[in-house]
Amino acid sequence: MNKVYKAHIIYTRQADSFEVLENGYIGVNGKGCVTGVAADLASLGCEDAEVTDLGDCLLIPAMNDLHVHAPQYRNQGLAMDLELLPWLQNYTFPEEMKFANLSYAERMYRRFVHDLWRFGTMRSCVFATVHTESTRLLMDLFRDAGMGALVGKVAMNRNCPAGLQESVEDMVKGYEELLACSQSSRRKVSEADKVRPIITPRFIPSCTPEMLRACGELAGKYGLPVQSHLSENRDEIAWVRELEKESKCYGDAYDRYGLFGQTPTVMAHCVWTAGEELELIKRRDVMVAHCPTSNFNVASGMAPVRQFLDEGIHVGLGSDISGGHCLSIFKVMVYAIQVSKMHYQQNHKRPFLTLSEVFWMATKEAGSFFGRVGSFEPGYEFDALVIDDKDLNHDNYTVLERLERYIYLGDDRQITHRFCGGREITGIGNLGTSTE
Ligand code: GUN
Ligand code: FE
């Protein structure tokens, strides 16, 4: 059965401009895909469809988070006094160890999935922990919510506490278990591929060559996507150079093990990527997850995003909780613009990012990692947010000005409806209490 929604429709087909249709109509077919956007019902060809009139609200594509750590949710807004490597050892690894405990994991993961929903993020690329059971639980929470996620059981077998290390055999076994339950949970055909495992070597310092090789083989054998961290921090890069003497650059260390574009790959940060590594990213069509809040908080640096875009590299946005402190991708957009303005002040050669560019990165660009997601062009899955911004709207703002003000000033209170793959998503209950 076709559905039609009427609202002020805004989305991006390309980086440099918004598509805006005031009081427009959008058609969604029985498979949850957009059939078209039009100024009137007749030109949509859906005269007999049920029309939901959303009044004076904005209707925009839902947010996609290309890089986030679910088990770091308790640490959100904490522990910003160290750079990456000591930050991992002192704050992050001790918290991730707790996810051996399933009831702790359930309490934290419920809150995490609920808050992604609250802030309008319908698809995400998620790092879990090394623990298979709690990773499975996180996947089930996404499935129950009806939200899309690529979830990584994190591969680690060196340079971290024993409680976070796993043998290569157990890593492979764990992934095969997760794959088996992904397949058996294909309850509804349309939901089948929304939650899937993604191969997740944490980063080169956490994985021996044997572990990296096994990760690459798993990705190839099952056609699974890959996510990791790349060239985030200068001490990290120097360490990788020591560990992987034969690699031409950090990216090459992944490439040598089949973890760099052999299957769809997203690498977080790329703050210090240049030269050979930039060329390799381009050649292998590796996607970059730009995480500006994290790059500020753990003092990593400013990623050369304008250069990436100029070179045709695909860039999406990531919250990188808890290096980053904002789960809302709208806020991450604002930081992406601000960091690019700092970059511009230091180096006037390249213009700073615009609002349509960061919106496009968070919707259509990041969405491309999940399928036909992130736009309202025909054939795209209907992932959408309804924004009722009347409390921000005290003068005659244009529809685009309203979107800009929402991005800068709004939060979850203005999001009245969320859709993922055509279905309205109503959130996740039973959040428990902090004393549980
Ligand atoms: N590099 C390896 N692990 C991590 C992590 O958990 N967060 C960030 N920001 N970088 C990493
Ligand atoms: Fe990260």
Side-chain angles (χ1 to χ4, degrees):
M1 175 61 188
N2 285 354
K3 286 192 178 143
V4 172
Y5 299 92
K6 176 170 184 278
H8 305 309
I9 297 168
I10 310 175
Y11 63 105
T12 48
R13 282 173 191 271
Q14 56 200 37
D16 61 3
S17 59
F18 284 104
E19 309 292 325
V20 183
L21 202 61
E22 277 186 59
N23 295 306
Y25 295 84
I26 183 165
V28 179
N29 67 21
K31 290 185 174 152
C33 292
V34 175
T35 57
V37 173
D40 53 71
L41 261 182
S43 27
L44 202 56
C46 288
E47 281 125 314
D48 54 346
E50 162 199 341
V51 179
T52 304
D53 187 345
L54 297 165
D56 192 34
C57 292
L58 310 178
L59 182 70
I60 61 173
M63 296 296 108
N64 304 299
D65 190 337
L66 260 197
H67 183 78
V68 60
H69 297 262
Q72 296 175 20
Y73 202 44
R74 188 188 178 281
N75 280 357
Q76 184 189 26
L78 298 176
M80 306 298 193
D81 57 342
L82 294 173
E83 283 195 42
L84 177 67
L85 299 176
W87 175 86
L88 285 170
Q89 294 291 344
N90 286 283
Y91 303 121
T92 305
F93 292 158
E95 180 59 23
E96 292 194 9
M97 304 243 297
K98 298 182 192 167
F99 286 74
N101 176 332
L102 266 187
S103 63
Y104 184 78
E106 171 151 18
R107 182 153 62 84
M108 288 299 155
Y109 282 163
R110 262 187 196 282
R111 173 69 60 177
F112 171 75
V113 174
H114 177 75
D115 285 351
L116 279 175
W117 170 84
R118 237 172 15 101
F119 288 108
T121 299
M122 292 294 117
R123 314 256 177 175
S124 35
C125 255
V126 186
F127 281 56
T129 59
V130 66
H131 312 99
T132 303
E133 286 307 309
S134 55
T135 303
R136 186 207 316 256
L137 188 146
L138 177 60
M139 294 175 82
D140 285 342
L141 289 171
F142 277 115
R143 279 196 192 98
D144 291 347
M147 291 153 63
L150 294 167
V151 179
K153 168 185 151 62
V154 178
M156 304 168 76
N157 68 343
R158 66 174 172 185
N159 296 317
C160 63
L164 286 182
Q165 296 194 29
E166 186 176 50
S167 69
V168 173
E169 297 70 41
D170 287 347
M171 184 280 290
V172 172
K173 209 165 121 237
Y175 262 98
E176 288 181 336
E177 275 173 43
L178 294 176
L179 269 171
C181 53
S182 297
Q183 276 143 11
S184 68
S185 75
R186 295 189 169 196
R187 298 167 283 201
K188 304 165 210 127
V189 176
S190 63
E191 303 287 301
D193 289 326
K194 270 212 223 135
V195 180
R196 282 176 293 141
I198 178 168
I199 299 295
T200 306
R202 182 178 206 112
F203 67 159
I204 297 287
S206 298
C207 300
T208 61
E210 296 70 38
M211 181 62 99
L212 293 166
R213 191 167 305 114
C215 284
E217 284 169 7
L218 263 183
K221 180 171 174 190
Y222 296 106
L224 294 175
V226 171
Q227 63 179 352
S228 193
H229 296 93
L230 179 64
S231 295
E232 175 178 5
N233 164 290
R234 284 189 274 202
D235 293 339
E236 169 209 18
I237 295 165
W239 196 13
V240 170
R241 208 174 289 128
E242 277 301 300
L243 291 168
E244 276 286 328
K245 290 208 169 63
E246 275 135 68
S247 296
K248 293 194 223 59
C249 58
Y250 193 160
D252 185 44
Y254 291 114
D255 192 45
R256 281 153 34 90
Y257 299 103
L259 293 164
F260 213 64
Q262 288 79 3
T263 59
T265 301
V266 58
M267 287 285 156
H269 306 298
C270 303
V271 170
W272 300 100
T273 291
E276 217 167 345
E277 185 165 280
L278 195 142
E279 290 306 315
L280 192 60
I281 286 182
K282 238 180 6 185
R283 205 158 63 242
R284 293 275 191 260
D285 202 16
V286 166
M287 186 140 190
V288 173
H290 175 44
C291 306
T293 52
S294 171
N295 299 157
F296 275 130
N297 290 332
V298 284
S300 298
M302 299 185 285
V305 175
R306 169 61 66 201
Q307 185 185 4
F308 292 157
L309 297 184
D310 287 350
E311 301 269 356
I313 291 171
H314 297 286
V315 186
L317 298 179
S319 66
D320 194 25
I321 298 293
S322 67
H325 60 289
C326 294
L327 194 57
S328 164
I329 294 295
F330 294 104
K331 291 296 159 290
V332 177
M333 283 187 210
V334 172
Y335 279 92
I337 292 174
Q338 290 180 338
V339 75
S340 85
K341 287 177 176 170
M342 293 173 72
H343 218 281
Y344 161 80
Q345 286 300 339
Q346 293 200 333
N347 171 359
H348 276 254
K349 280 198 308 224
R350 294 180 195 269
F352 48 77
L353 297 175
T354 66
L355 194 71
S356 71
E357 284 174 321
V358 295
F359 190 87
W360 170 79
M361 284 161 59
T363 55
K364 190 173 175 182
E365 274 290 87
S368 69
F369 204 71
F370 303 93
R372 299 265 285 169
V373 169
S375 177
F376 289 156
E377 291 157 72
Y380 273 74
E381 292 195 54
F382 184 63
D383 280 25
L385 304 177
V386 178
I387 311 287
D388 180 352
D389 61 337
K390 64 175 154 331
D391 58 335
L392 304 174
N393 206 356
H394 56 78
D395 198 13
N396 293 323
Y397 296 107
T398 66
V399 163
L400 260 188
E401 285 173 338
R402 284 171 54 184
L403 177 66
E404 181 167 6
R405 282 170 57 82
Y406 173 70
I407 291 170
Y408 274 85
L409 306 175
D411 54 41
D412 58 313
R413 287 170 295 183
Q414 291 85 24
I415 307 179
T416 58
H417 303 271
R418 298 143 178 94
F419 296 87
C420 185
R423 253 182 78 198
E424 183 165 3
I425 306 299
T426 51
I428 184 165
N430 190 14
L431 294 180
T433 66
S434 58
T435 54
E436 231 181 305

